[in-house]
Amino acid sequence: MLIAHLSDPHVRPDGELYQGVVDSNAQFAAAIAHVNALDPRPDLVLLSGDLVDHGQADEYAMLTRLLASLDVPVLAIPGNHDEREAFRRAFAGHSWLPAQGPIDYAVGDRGPVRVVAVDVTLPGLHHGAMSEEGAAWLDRVLAAEPSRPTIVMMHQPPFDTGIPYMDPYSCREGQRLSAVLARHKQVERLLCGHVHRVMQLRFGGTTLCTAPSTTTTIALQLRPDARPASYIEPSAMLLHHWQEGTGLITHFVPIGTFPGPYPFA
């Protein structure tokens, strides 16, 4: 099973640039075209939040136009830049979408790997939180299929990255999430967005992996007095490949056209 993982496209209204600098719409369109051209084509696409930049109706209209060209089924969660009800309207008709409340759901009919989405966003705030109710829901859902390989997807990562201008906006109460995951050994990955960088660490007895943004890369600055900064680096995505007997392999995939292929390896 192949699962493409895109994150943080920050789609803007038609003709407007992200932060007045970056054509995030064109970059997301290029990412979609890249997914469509993969051979073999992925079975599923995950979108781990911040699909639009300001939660506006015209941004979601643009997102819908862009996603119409995607030839692969999609699962999505909101991020702190999304607006939950506008998100719900944009994905109306998708069977996985809950009718009300947080965008929490589980999908297990797309292949051998089950996907559990957890909405940790807090409307109007940039940080997230793992609530007692959310942790209890996740515990029940994971307990329902204890032997099924599973991916858990959320937006804000539940740890401090060391980047001082990102850590105030992490997912708080991460110890609740860690305790739940530690009870469920079938969880192959905890996937997050939000930080516009690839990071990996052990968390809750599994591997946590954050996705790059299709739009910008947040600067890796570890000094406590560092000021917010980003770069326009090549867009990228993750590709998660499940193989029976091996498990889940995660690949970093730059998006674009590069010199090659050359006849050597």
Side-chain angles (χ1 to χ4, degrees):
M1 183 178 183
L2 281 177
I3 302 171
H5 180 189
L6 307 177
S7 197
D8 297 83
H10 289 272
V11 167
R12 299 288 290 131
D14 191 15
E16 295 189 17
L17 300 179
Y18 172 65
Q19 301 291 343
V21 175
V22 187
D23 191 346
S24 57
N25 297 348
Q27 290 177 304
F28 192 46
I32 290 171
H34 193 93
V35 170
N36 286 339
L38 289 173
D39 183 15
R41 182 172 289 174
D43 301 286
L44 191 61
V45 169
L46 304 182
L47 301 176
S48 55
D50 281 0
L51 307 189
V52 305
D53 197 36
H54 292 295
Q56 299 170 349
D58 51 355
E59 292 176 329
Y60 283 106
M62 187 67 210
L63 175 70
T64 300
R65 284 171 54 188
L66 291 167
L67 287 175
S69 66
L70 180 62
D71 297 330
V72 179
V74 65
L75 302 178
I77 54 171
N80 52 297
H81 284 262
D82 290 295
E83 198 284 318
R84 188 177 286 164
E85 296 312 313
F87 176 102
R88 205 185 308 273
R89 289 190 293 272
F91 288 96
H94 288 262
S95 60
W96 47 261
L97 185 71
Q100 59 187 3
I103 311 298
D104 297 332
Y105 59 87
V107 172
D109 61 352
R110 306 300 170 90
V113 178
R114 188 183 188 216
V115 177
V116 178
V118 183
D119 182 1
V120 297
T121 61
L122 299 171
L125 299 173
H126 284 297
H127 70 274
M130 187 75 253
S131 67
E132 292 183 7
E133 295 80 8
W137 175 86
L138 179 61
D139 199 25
R140 291 193 302 272
V141 168
L142 293 176
E145 296 196 46
S147 60
R148 181 83 175 271
T150 299
I151 286 172
V152 175
M153 174 174 65
M154 57 194 286
H155 182 63
Q156 292 100 332
F159 69 97
D160 285 341
T161 67
I163 301 175
Y165 41 83
M166 292 304 297
D167 288 341
Y169 310 120
S170 64
C171 174
R172 300 176 186 175
E173 306 300 338
Q175 72 279 3
R176 285 194 186 123
L177 176 60
S178 179
V180 171
L181 296 178
R183 291 194 289 272
H184 300 283
K185 304 304 182 184
Q186 79 273 27
V187 177
E188 293 280 339
R189 289 289 186 282
L190 173 59
L191 301 180
C192 305
H194 188 57
V195 292
H196 292 217
R197 298 192 62 85
V198 176
M199 304 180 193
Q200 296 184 70
L201 76 158
R202 293 289 295 171
F203 182 89
T206 189
T207 301
L208 187 159
C209 187
T210 68
S213 169
T214 60
T215 300
T216 56
T217 301
I218 289 175
L220 178 59
Q221 300 189 101
L222 302 178
R223 289 180 56 89
D225 59 349
R227 299 178 65 84
S230 292
Y231 290 93
I232 303 175
E233 296 181 359
S235 297
M237 55 177 272
L238 300 179
L239 188 66
H240 308 287
H241 185 195
W242 168 261
Q243 299 178 89
E244 189 67 39
T246 300
L248 194 68
I249 304 169
T250 295
H251 300 273
F252 173 84
V253 183
I255 294 166
T257 301
F258 305 97
Y262 297 103
F264 54 79

